Amino acid sequence: MVAGGCRRRVHGLAAGTLAFTICGAAIVLAQATDPAFGTWKLNVAKSTFSPGPPPKEMTATIAPDGTGRKVSVTGLEADGTPIKWGYTANFDREEYKLSGNNPNADVVSLRRVSANTTRATFKLAGKETLVNGVSVSEDGKTLTVASSGVDGKGRTVKSTLVFEKQ
């Protein structure tokens, strides 16, 4: 009886370990296939900015981080002011702090809408500012950010940023 009980516990442990391994592999596989991963350069000519003016240049780098992503944004504003901010966040709608000099937000929360689409909600001092719908084209060459809300200066924002994969 003791030997049978041990056998059952070993089988249960093996099944639990196998399930954990399969789930872990599924997370890694999902991360590896996220079409947003990579380096993206803003195509200012294809983008619209309201309010303007548009930045001179902007690059977004999106990398896997656990079950979420790490985002780094760099560039130059129209007046030459450097752009440098980012975050690391999971797709769990929890709030994560931003680093750097983003004048419109100090936290972000993420959720996945579909395989190619995510939503990022930004807040500044506890108040929602911008919501970005981020989608990657079927061919994986274009990342589009539809941004709406109110910026850190209280201005209404309705912009579409078009990035090309580098």
Side-chain angles (χ1 to χ4, degrees):
M1 191 113 146
V2 170
C6 287
R7 213 172 299 132
R8 274 188 223 110
R9 273 185 259 151
V10 169
H11 288 299
L13 179 61
T17 301
L18 179 62
F20 181 76
T21 303
I22 290 170
C23 289
I27 290 169
V28 169
L29 182 60
Q31 286 296 333
T33 60
D34 188 330
F37 293 155
T39 301
W40 303 88
K41 185 173 173 84
L42 179 68
N43 183 326
V44 177
K46 290 183 179 179
S47 302
T48 60
F49 295 87
S50 176
K56 287 183 180 180
E57 61 185 59
M58 185 183 293
T59 301
T61 303
I62 304 172
D65 189 273
T67 59
R69 59 174 57 156
K70 180 177 182 174
V71 176
S72 174
V73 180
T74 59
L76 290 174
E77 296 284 5
D79 66 2
T81 303
I83 299 168
K84 186 173 182 172
W85 61 275
Y87 61 84
T88 301
N90 294 321
F91 294 99
D92 57 8
R93 298 184 185 190
E94 296 293 321
E95 293 182 351
Y96 295 88
K97 289 187 180 207
L98 271 65
S99 62
N101 65 347
N102 187 321
N104 301 313
D106 52 19
V107 297
V108 64
S109 63
L110 301 180
R111 74 178 176 100
R112 184 167 294 285
V113 177
S114 70
N116 287 20
T117 305
T118 60
R119 177 148 301 134
T121 302
F122 294 90
K123 289 183 180 179
L124 181 62
K127 183 178 177 186
E128 186 175 301
T129 52
L130 301 174
V131 176
N132 290 351
V134 181
S135 60
V136 178
S137 62
E138 289 298 319
D139 66 6
K141 296 179 181 179
T142 305
L143 181 140
T144 303
V145 178
S147 185
S148 63
V150 178
D151 69 13
K153 295 179 181 176
R155 301 176 299 179
T156 300
V157 173
K158 188 153 179 70
S159 299
T160 302
L161 289 69
V162 178
F163 291 84
E164 296 170 345
K165 190 124 189 201
Q166 298 300 290

